[in-house]
mmCIF file of all heavy atoms in Angstrom:
data_model
loop_
_atom_site.group_PDB
_atom_site.id
_atom_site.type_symbol
_atom_site.label_atom_id
_atom_site.label_comp_id
_atom_site.label_asym_id
_atom_site.label_seq_id
_atom_site.Cartn_x
_atom_site.Cartn_y
_atom_site.Cartn_z
ATOM 1 N N HIS A 1 74.035 -93.818 19.607
ATOM 2 C CA HIS A 1 73.852 -94.031 21.043
ATOM 3 C C HIS A 1 72.960 -92.960 21.693
ATOM 4 O O HIS A 1 72.103 -93.285 22.503
ATOM 5 C CB HIS A 1 75.213 -94.062 21.743
ATOM 6 C CG HIS A 1 75.136 -94.384 23.195
ATOM 7 N ND1 HIS A 1 74.955 -95.663 23.662
ATOM 8 C CD2 HIS A 1 75.184 -93.584 24.286
ATOM 9 C CE1 HIS A 1 74.900 -95.642 24.981
ATOM 10 N NE2 HIS A 1 75.045 -94.397 25.389
ATOM 11 N N HIS A 2 73.185 -91.697 21.335
ATOM 12 C CA HIS A 2 72.480 -90.594 21.992
ATOM 13 C C HIS A 2 71.288 -90.064 21.203
ATOM 14 O O HIS A 2 70.495 -89.297 21.745
ATOM 15 C CB HIS A 2 73.445 -89.436 22.277
ATOM 16 C CG HIS A 2 74.490 -89.775 23.280
ATOM 17 N ND1 HIS A 2 74.219 -89.960 24.618
ATOM 18 C CD2 HIS A 2 75.828 -89.985 23.141
ATOM 19 C CE1 HIS A 2 75.339 -90.253 25.260
ATOM 20 N NE2 HIS A 2 76.319 -90.281 24.384
ATOM 21 N N GLY A 3 71.201 -90.425 19.932
ATOM 22 C CA GLY A 3 70.074 -89.980 19.112
ATOM 23 C C GLY A 3 69.996 -88.466 19.011
ATOM 24 O O GLY A 3 70.998 -87.781 18.838
ATOM 25 N N ALA A 4 68.776 -87.943 19.156
ATOM 26 C CA ALA A 4 68.527 -86.513 19.011
ATOM 27 C C ALA A 4 69.218 -85.688 20.098
ATOM 28 O O ALA A 4 69.369 -84.478 19.952
ATOM 29 C CB ALA A 4 67.026 -86.243 19.032
ATOM 30 N N ARG A 5 69.659 -86.312 21.179
ATOM 31 C CA ARG A 5 70.326 -85.605 22.283
ATOM 32 C C ARG A 5 71.814 -85.363 22.017
ATOM 33 O O ARG A 5 72.496 -84.769 22.856
ATOM 34 C CB ARG A 5 70.181 -86.402 23.574
ATOM 35 C CG ARG A 5 68.763 -86.601 24.040
ATOM 36 C CD ARG A 5 68.704 -87.382 25.363
ATOM 37 N NE ARG A 5 69.847 -88.219 25.617
ATOM 38 C CZ ARG A 5 69.853 -89.554 25.544
ATOM 39 N NH1 ARG A 5 68.777 -90.214 25.202
ATOM 40 N NH2 ARG A 5 70.950 -90.238 25.812
ATOM 41 N N LEU A 6 72.335 -85.838 20.881
ATOM 42 C CA LEU A 6 73.774 -85.736 20.626
ATOM 43 C C LEU A 6 74.281 -84.302 20.749
ATOM 44 O O LEU A 6 75.264 -84.048 21.453
ATOM 45 C CB LEU A 6 74.134 -86.302 19.253
ATOM 46 C CG LEU A 6 75.614 -86.174 18.889
ATOM 47 C CD1 LEU A 6 76.465 -87.032 19.810
ATOM 48 C CD2 LEU A 6 75.849 -86.534 17.447
ATOM 49 N N ALA A 7 73.640 -83.358 20.078
ATOM 50 C CA ALA A 7 74.111 -81.968 20.111
ATOM 51 C C ALA A 7 73.997 -81.363 21.512
ATOM 52 O O ALA A 7 74.756 -80.458 21.856
ATOM 53 C CB ALA A 7 73.339 -81.127 19.098
ATOM 54 N N ASP A 8 73.078 -81.871 22.333
ATOM 55 C CA ASP A 8 72.973 -81.395 23.712
ATOM 56 C C ASP A 8 74.115 -81.936 24.569
ATOM 57 O O ASP A 8 74.512 -81.320 25.552
ATOM 58 C CB ASP A 8 71.648 -81.829 24.343
ATOM 59 C CG ASP A 8 70.454 -81.175 23.683
ATOM 60 O OD1 ASP A 8 70.612 -80.077 23.109
ATOM 61 O OD2 ASP A 8 69.377 -81.784 23.719
ATOM 62 N N ARG A 9 74.621 -83.084 24.201
ATOM 63 C CA ARG A 9 75.658 -83.750 24.996
ATOM 64 C C ARG A 9 77.070 -83.360 24.546
ATOM 65 O O ARG A 9 77.967 -83.225 25.369
ATOM 66 C CB ARG A 9 75.470 -85.256 24.883
ATOM 67 C CG ARG A 9 76.403 -86.064 25.725
ATOM 68 C CD ARG A 9 75.669 -86.986 26.658
ATOM 69 N NE ARG A 9 76.605 -87.852 27.346
ATOM 70 C CZ ARG A 9 77.025 -87.620 28.588
ATOM 71 N NH1 ARG A 9 76.577 -86.604 29.274
ATOM 72 N NH2 ARG A 9 77.881 -88.446 29.158
ATOM 73 N N TYR A 10 77.277 -83.210 23.244
ATOM 74 C CA TYR A 10 78.615 -82.919 22.706
ATOM 75 C C TYR A 10 78.563 -81.782 21.703
ATOM 76 O O TYR A 10 77.749 -81.789 20.790
ATOM 77 C CB TYR A 10 79.193 -84.146 21.990
ATOM 78 C CG TYR A 10 79.376 -85.329 22.890
ATOM 79 C CD1 TYR A 10 78.521 -86.417 22.821
ATOM 80 C CD2 TYR A 10 80.402 -85.367 23.824
ATOM 81 C CE1 TYR A 10 78.679 -87.511 23.653
ATOM 82 C CE2 TYR A 10 80.565 -86.453 24.661
ATOM 83 C CZ TYR A 10 79.693 -87.517 24.570
ATOM 84 O OH TYR A 10 79.859 -88.584 25.402
ATOM 85 N N ALA A 11 79.472 -80.839 21.853
ATOM 86 C CA ALA A 11 79.638 -79.773 20.874
ATOM 87 C C ALA A 11 80.812 -80.088 19.951
ATOM 88 O O ALA A 11 80.820 -79.705 18.789
ATOM 89 C CB ALA A 11 79.875 -78.441 21.572
ATOM 90 N N CYS A 12 81.797 -80.815 20.477
ATOM 91 C CA CYS A 12 83.007 -81.116 19.709
ATOM 92 C C CYS A 12 83.524 -82.498 20.099
ATOM 93 O O CYS A 12 83.456 -82.884 21.267
ATOM 94 C CB CYS A 12 84.069 -80.060 19.993
ATOM 95 S SG CYS A 12 85.583 -80.245 19.035
ATOM 96 N N VAL A 13 84.009 -83.220 19.103
ATOM 97 C CA VAL A 13 84.595 -84.545 19.309
ATOM 98 C C VAL A 13 86.052 -84.483 18.860
ATOM 99 O O VAL A 13 86.336 -84.062 17.738
ATOM 100 C CB VAL A 13 83.828 -85.614 18.494
ATOM 101 C CG1 VAL A 13 84.492 -86.969 18.620
ATOM 102 C CG2 VAL A 13 82.367 -85.674 18.923
ATOM 103 N N VAL A 14 86.971 -84.870 19.744
ATOM 104 C CA VAL A 14 88.396 -84.882 19.428
ATOM 105 C C VAL A 14 88.871 -86.327 19.516
ATOM 106 O O VAL A 14 88.603 -87.018 20.497
ATOM 107 C CB VAL A 14 89.206 -84.006 20.411
ATOM 108 C CG1 VAL A 14 90.692 -84.043 20.063
ATOM 109 C CG2 VAL A 14 88.685 -82.583 20.417
ATOM 110 N N VAL A 15 89.581 -86.783 18.475
ATOM 111 C CA VAL A 15 90.011 -88.176 18.391
ATOM 112 C C VAL A 15 91.531 -88.241 18.253
ATOM 113 O O VAL A 15 92.108 -87.569 17.400
ATOM 114 C CB VAL A 15 89.347 -88.882 17.189
ATOM 115 C CG1 VAL A 15 89.757 -90.334 17.121
ATOM 116 C CG2 VAL A 15 87.830 -88.750 17.253
ATOM 117 N N ALA A 16 92.165 -89.063 19.084
ATOM 118 C CA ALA A 16 93.607 -89.289 18.992
ATOM 119 C C ALA A 16 93.874 -90.316 17.891
ATOM 120 O O ALA A 16 93.257 -91.372 17.852
ATOM 121 C CB ALA A 16 94.157 -89.801 20.318
ATOM 122 N N GLN A 17 94.796 -89.984 17.000
ATOM 123 C CA GLN A 17 95.185 -90.865 15.898
ATOM 124 C C GLN A 17 96.555 -91.440 16.221
ATOM 125 O O GLN A 17 97.538 -90.724 16.189
ATOM 126 C CB GLN A 17 95.250 -90.071 14.592
ATOM 127 C CG GLN A 17 93.968 -89.364 14.241
ATOM 128 C CD GLN A 17 92.871 -90.345 13.896
ATOM 129 O OE1 GLN A 17 93.069 -91.282 13.137
ATOM 130 N NE2 GLN A 17 91.717 -90.147 14.463
ATOM 131 N N THR A 18 96.623 -92.725 16.535
ATOM 132 C CA THR A 18 97.872 -93.247 17.076
ATOM 133 C C THR A 18 98.683 -94.142 16.159
ATOM 134 O O THR A 18 99.864 -94.326 16.403
ATOM 135 C CB THR A 18 97.603 -94.043 18.363
ATOM 136 O OG1 THR A 18 96.717 -95.102 18.058
ATOM 137 C CG2 THR A 18 97.016 -93.165 19.424
ATOM 138 N N SER A 19 98.110 -94.727 15.160
ATOM 139 C CA SER A 19 98.868 -95.704 14.377
ATOM 140 C C SER A 19 99.706 -95.070 13.288
ATOM 141 O O SER A 19 100.922 -95.014 13.383
ATOM 142 C CB SER A 19 97.930 -96.742 13.762
ATOM 143 O OG SER A 19 97.376 -97.531 14.768
ATOM 144 N N THR A 20 99.077 -94.591 12.253
ATOM 145 C CA THR A 20 99.835 -94.129 11.092
ATOM 146 C C THR A 20 99.952 -92.623 11.004
ATOM 147 O O THR A 20 100.699 -92.128 10.189
ATOM 148 C CB THR A 20 99.164 -94.625 9.797
ATOM 149 O OG1 THR A 20 97.828 -94.099 9.768
ATOM 150 C CG2 THR A 20 99.132 -96.126 9.734
ATOM 151 N N GLN A 21 99.229 -91.893 11.834
ATOM 152 C CA GLN A 21 99.162 -90.459 11.645
ATOM 153 C C GLN A 21 99.871 -89.695 12.752
ATOM 154 O O GLN A 21 99.345 -88.745 13.299
ATOM 155 C CB GLN A 21 97.705 -90.041 11.551
ATOM 156 C CG GLN A 21 97.041 -90.680 10.361
ATOM 157 C CD GLN A 21 95.539 -90.607 10.460
ATOM 158 O OE1 GLN A 21 94.978 -90.835 11.513
ATOM 159 N NE2 GLN A 21 94.898 -90.301 9.366
ATOM 160 N N VAL A 22 101.072 -90.101 13.056
ATOM 161 C CA VAL A 22 101.825 -89.377 14.073
ATOM 162 C C VAL A 22 102.754 -88.386 13.392
ATOM 163 O O VAL A 22 103.393 -88.693 12.400
ATOM 164 C CB VAL A 22 102.614 -90.322 15.019
ATOM 165 C CG1 VAL A 22 101.673 -91.145 15.856
ATOM 166 C CG2 VAL A 22 103.547 -91.213 14.256
ATOM 167 N N SER A 23 102.812 -87.182 13.926
ATOM 168 C CA SER A 23 103.677 -86.164 13.346
ATOM 169 C C SER A 23 105.065 -86.217 13.959
ATOM 170 O O SER A 23 106.026 -85.792 13.363
ATOM 171 C CB SER A 23 103.067 -84.775 13.532
ATOM 172 O OG SER A 23 102.816 -84.550 14.901
ATOM 173 N N GLN A 24 105.160 -86.737 15.164
ATOM 174 C CA GLN A 24 106.416 -86.925 15.854
ATOM 175 C C GLN A 24 106.356 -88.306 16.498
ATOM 176 O O GLN A 24 105.270 -88.773 16.826
ATOM 177 C CB GLN A 24 106.597 -85.882 16.940
ATOM 178 C CG GLN A 24 106.581 -84.458 16.453
ATOM 179 C CD GLN A 24 106.594 -83.499 17.630
ATOM 180 O OE1 GLN A 24 107.109 -83.794 18.688
ATOM 181 N NE2 GLN A 24 106.011 -82.336 17.435
ATOM 182 N N PRO A 25 107.485 -88.961 16.709
ATOM 183 C CA PRO A 25 107.432 -90.268 17.374
ATOM 184 C C PRO A 25 106.722 -90.167 18.720
ATOM 185 O O PRO A 25 107.002 -89.271 19.516
ATOM 186 C CB PRO A 25 108.909 -90.635 17.549
ATOM 187 C CG PRO A 25 109.626 -89.835 16.517
ATOM 188 C CD PRO A 25 108.837 -88.566 16.358
ATOM 189 N N TRP A 26 105.780 -91.021 18.951
ATOM 190 C CA TRP A 26 105.042 -91.153 20.200
ATOM 191 C C TRP A 26 104.084 -89.996 20.494
ATOM 192 O O TRP A 26 103.561 -89.891 21.590
ATOM 193 C CB TRP A 26 105.978 -91.367 21.393
ATOM 194 C CG TRP A 26 106.974 -92.441 21.119
ATOM 195 C CD1 TRP A 26 108.311 -92.280 20.897
ATOM 196 C CD2 TRP A 26 106.728 -93.838 21.002
ATOM 197 N NE1 TRP A 26 108.915 -93.484 20.649
ATOM 198 C CE2 TRP A 26 107.944 -94.479 20.704
ATOM 199 C CE3 TRP A 26 105.600 -94.641 21.080
ATOM 200 C CZ2 TRP A 26 108.069 -95.838 20.507
ATOM 201 C CZ3 TRP A 26 105.733 -96.009 20.886
ATOM 202 C CH2 TRP A 26 106.955 -96.588 20.604
ATOM 203 N N VAL A 27 103.872 -89.112 19.524
ATOM 204 C CA VAL A 27 102.920 -88.016 19.715
ATOM 205 C C VAL A 27 101.832 -88.132 18.644
ATOM 206 O O VAL A 27 102.040 -87.744 17.511
ATOM 207 C CB VAL A 27 103.606 -86.632 19.618
ATOM 208 C CG1 VAL A 27 102.589 -85.519 19.832
ATOM 209 C CG2 VAL A 27 104.745 -86.528 20.609
ATOM 210 N N PRO A 28 100.680 -88.678 19.010
ATOM 211 C CA PRO A 28 99.631 -88.846 18.015
ATOM 212 C C PRO A 28 99.010 -87.522 17.575
ATOM 213 O O PRO A 28 98.939 -86.568 18.358
ATOM 214 C CB PRO A 28 98.579 -89.708 18.719
ATOM 215 C CG PRO A 28 98.953 -89.755 20.132
ATOM 216 C CD PRO A 28 100.321 -89.212 20.298
ATOM 217 N N ASP A 29 98.596 -87.486 16.332
ATOM 218 C CA ASP A 29 97.833 -86.348 15.838
ATOM 219 C C ASP A 29 96.454 -86.353 16.478
ATOM 220 O O ASP A 29 95.951 -87.401 16.889
ATOM 221 C CB ASP A 29 97.658 -86.431 14.319
ATOM 222 C CG ASP A 29 98.884 -85.972 13.552
ATOM 223 O OD1 ASP A 29 99.761 -85.324 14.149
ATOM 224 O OD2 ASP A 29 98.955 -86.262 12.349
ATOM 225 N N LEU A 30 95.849 -85.190 16.553
ATOM 226 C CA LEU A 30 94.486 -85.064 17.053
ATOM 227 C C LEU A 30 93.612 -84.500 15.942
ATOM 228 O O LEU A 30 93.977 -83.505 15.310
ATOM 229 C CB LEU A 30 94.425 -84.111 18.252
ATOM 230 C CG LEU A 30 95.174 -84.535 19.501
ATOM 231 C CD1 LEU A 30 95.095 -83.431 20.554
ATOM 232 C CD2 LEU A 30 94.607 -85.825 20.049
ATOM 233 N N GLN A 31 92.484 -85.142 15.711
ATOM 234 C CA GLN A 31 91.506 -84.628 14.766
ATOM 235 C C GLN A 31 90.245 -84.271 15.535
ATOM 236 O O GLN A 31 89.824 -85.014 16.426
ATOM 237 C CB GLN A 31 91.178 -85.644 13.684
ATOM 238 C CG GLN A 31 92.256 -85.803 12.646
ATOM 239 C CD GLN A 31 91.771 -86.642 11.481
ATOM 240 O OE1 GLN A 31 90.783 -87.346 11.566
ATOM 241 N NE2 GLN A 31 92.481 -86.556 10.377
ATOM 242 N N ALA A 32 89.656 -83.143 15.190
ATOM 243 C CA ALA A 32 88.441 -82.681 15.855
ATOM 244 C C ALA A 32 87.318 -82.553 14.842
ATOM 245 O O ALA A 32 87.556 -82.401 13.637
ATOM 246 C CB ALA A 32 88.692 -81.340 16.538
ATOM 247 N N TYR A 33 86.096 -82.622 15.362
ATOM 248 C CA TYR A 33 84.903 -82.483 14.528
ATOM 249 C C TYR A 33 83.868 -81.716 15.333
ATOM 250 O O TYR A 33 83.530 -82.113 16.450
ATOM 251 C CB TYR A 33 84.375 -83.870 14.149
ATOM 252 C CG TYR A 33 83.175 -83.836 13.242
ATOM 253 C CD1 TYR A 33 83.325 -83.599 11.887
ATOM 254 C CD2 TYR A 33 81.899 -84.039 13.744
ATOM 255 C CE1 TYR A 33 82.220 -83.573 11.045
ATOM 256 C CE2 TYR A 33 80.794 -84.017 12.915
ATOM 257 C CZ TYR A 33 80.963 -83.782 11.562
ATOM 258 O OH TYR A 33 79.874 -83.757 10.727
ATOM 259 N N ASP A 34 83.392 -80.598 14.787
ATOM 260 C CA ASP A 34 82.367 -79.805 15.438
ATOM 261 C C ASP A 34 81.005 -80.424 15.127
ATOM 262 O O ASP A 34 80.615 -80.506 13.962
ATOM 263 C CB ASP A 34 82.417 -78.354 14.971
ATOM 264 C CG ASP A 34 83.722 -77.669 15.351
ATOM 265 O OD1 ASP A 34 84.416 -78.170 16.246
ATOM 266 O OD2 ASP A 34 84.038 -76.624 14.741
ATOM 267 N N VAL A 35 80.309 -80.888 16.147
ATOM 268 C CA VAL A 35 79.063 -81.636 15.964
ATOM 269 C C VAL A 35 77.994 -80.783 15.307
ATOM 270 O O VAL A 35 77.293 -81.231 14.414
ATOM 271 C CB VAL A 35 78.561 -82.190 17.317
ATOM 272 C CG1 VAL A 35 77.190 -82.818 17.182
ATOM 273 C CG2 VAL A 35 79.563 -83.210 17.862
ATOM 274 N N ASP A 36 77.857 -79.543 15.720
ATOM 275 C CA ASP A 36 76.819 -78.683 15.178
ATOM 276 C C ASP A 36 77.456 -77.630 14.279
ATOM 277 O O ASP A 36 78.059 -76.687 14.760
ATOM 278 C CB ASP A 36 76.048 -78.013 16.317
ATOM 279 C CG ASP A 36 74.796 -77.301 15.842
ATOM 280 O OD1 ASP A 36 74.316 -77.606 14.736
ATOM 281 O OD2 ASP A 36 74.295 -76.444 16.582
ATOM 282 N N GLY A 37 77.354 -77.834 12.980
ATOM 283 C CA GLY A 37 77.882 -76.844 12.060
ATOM 284 C C GLY A 37 79.189 -77.207 11.398
ATOM 285 O O GLY A 37 79.618 -76.530 10.483
ATOM 286 N N GLY A 38 79.854 -78.243 11.833
ATOM 287 C CA GLY A 38 81.095 -78.636 11.185
ATOM 288 C C GLY A 38 80.834 -79.721 10.164
ATOM 289 O O GLY A 38 80.100 -80.655 10.435
ATOM 290 N N ASP A 39 81.404 -79.564 8.983
ATOM 291 C CA ASP A 39 81.193 -80.616 7.999
ATOM 292 C C ASP A 39 82.467 -81.398 7.717
ATOM 293 O O ASP A 39 82.426 -82.463 7.143
ATOM 294 C CB ASP A 39 80.611 -80.054 6.703
ATOM 295 C CG ASP A 39 81.534 -79.031 6.052
ATOM 296 O OD1 ASP A 39 82.462 -78.545 6.718
ATOM 297 O OD2 ASP A 39 81.315 -78.720 4.869
ATOM 298 N N GLN A 40 83.595 -80.875 8.144
ATOM 299 C CA GLN A 40 84.860 -81.539 7.911
ATOM 300 C C GLN A 40 85.669 -81.603 9.208
ATOM 301 O O GLN A 40 85.710 -80.633 9.960
ATOM 302 C CB GLN A 40 85.684 -80.781 6.866
ATOM 303 C CG GLN A 40 85.097 -80.801 5.481
ATOM 304 C CD GLN A 40 85.082 -82.198 4.899
ATOM 305 O OE1 GLN A 40 86.037 -82.957 5.036
ATOM 306 N NE2 GLN A 40 83.988 -82.565 4.261
ATOM 307 N N PRO A 41 86.324 -82.736 9.450
ATOM 308 C CA PRO A 41 87.242 -82.790 10.592
ATOM 309 C C PRO A 41 88.438 -81.870 10.342
ATOM 310 O O PRO A 41 88.747 -81.538 9.201
ATOM 311 C CB PRO A 41 87.678 -84.253 10.644
ATOM 312 C CG PRO A 41 87.108 -84.918 9.470
ATOM 313 C CD PRO A 41 86.233 -83.979 8.733
ATOM 314 N N TYR A 42 89.085 -81.462 11.404
ATOM 315 C CA TYR A 42 90.257 -80.605 11.288
ATOM 316 C C TYR A 42 91.274 -81.045 12.335
ATOM 317 O O TYR A 42 90.933 -81.673 13.324
ATOM 318 C CB TYR A 42 89.891 -79.128 11.462
ATOM 319 C CG TYR A 42 89.119 -78.797 12.716
ATOM 320 C CD1 TYR A 42 89.771 -78.367 13.869
ATOM 321 C CD2 TYR A 42 87.727 -78.896 12.743
ATOM 322 C CE1 TYR A 42 89.057 -78.058 15.015
ATOM 323 C CE2 TYR A 42 87.010 -78.581 13.893
ATOM 324 C CZ TYR A 42 87.681 -78.171 15.019
ATOM 325 O OH TYR A 42 86.974 -77.859 16.155
#
């Protein structure tokens, strides 16, 4: 969507995991990804 402007627009992306990856009932896990320099989500 953003092309070459992605790193200018976002430094980090955080995603809520709601279906199978909950650590507690009704509390979804969060996974993050560093757009510039991150190679693995955490």
